[in-house]
């Protein structure tokens, strides 16, 4: 199984995770400041900033893009419940 490094900047912790895992699955277990409400990509509470490795996350879906726009998210923001880790990435709460 392929692995990648996922770093949570707010708690200064880097983990090796399976490729394909959603960021929220890991942040929830670690107590990162990335919070969530629904896990389905339609509320926007799990908005996070991608500090490094933007291209190492899954492609933004139509649903995620809609929520990002509705929340006036910045250029390097994603929803942790939708973003899958494909390679090394560093994230922090938005």
């Amino acid at each position: 199984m392929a692995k990648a490094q996922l770093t949570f900047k707010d708690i200064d912790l880097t983990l090796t995770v399976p490729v394909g895992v959603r960021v929220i699955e890991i942040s929830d277990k670690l107590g990162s400041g990335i919070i969530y409400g629904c896990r389905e990509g339609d509320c926007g509470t799990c908005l996070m900033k991608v500090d490094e490795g933007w291209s190492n996350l899954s492609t933004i879906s139509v649903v995620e893009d809609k929520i990002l726009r509705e929340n006036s998210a910045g250029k390097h923001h994603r929803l942790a419940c939708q973003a899958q880790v494909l390679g090394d990435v560093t994230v922090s709460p938005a």
Side-chain angles (χ1 to χ4, degrees):
M1 177 183 292
K3 302 281 186 178
Q5 298 292 307
L6 174 57
T7 301
F8 292 91
K9 198 171 184 179
D10 64 321
I11 57 175
D12 194 30
L13 183 64
T14 300
L15 297 146
T16 300
V17 299
V19 166
V21 70
R22 294 185 190 279
V23 174
I24 199 69
E25 293 174 41
I26 306 301
S27 67
D28 182 37
K29 294 176 184 175
L30 298 176
S32 169
I34 299 171
I35 59 170
Y36 66 93
C38 69
R39 291 183 178 255
E40 308 230 349
D42 64 4
C43 73
T45 58
C46 65
L47 189 64
M48 66 177 183
K49 183 174 186 254
V50 181
D51 298 297
E52 294 178 37
W54 176 265
S55 62
N56 291 331
L57 292 172
S58 57
T59 304
I60 297 174
S61 69
V62 172
V63 172
E64 183 181 4
D65 184 58
K66 177 180 178 277
I67 298 303
L68 291 170
R69 289 175 189 267
E70 288 173 358
N71 286 280
S72 301
K75 181 179 178 184
H76 291 286
H77 288 80
R78 294 287 307 266
L79 296 180
C81 72
Q82 299 297 299
Q84 292 177 286
V85 176
L86 304 177
D88 297 351
V89 64
T90 301
V91 299
S92 57

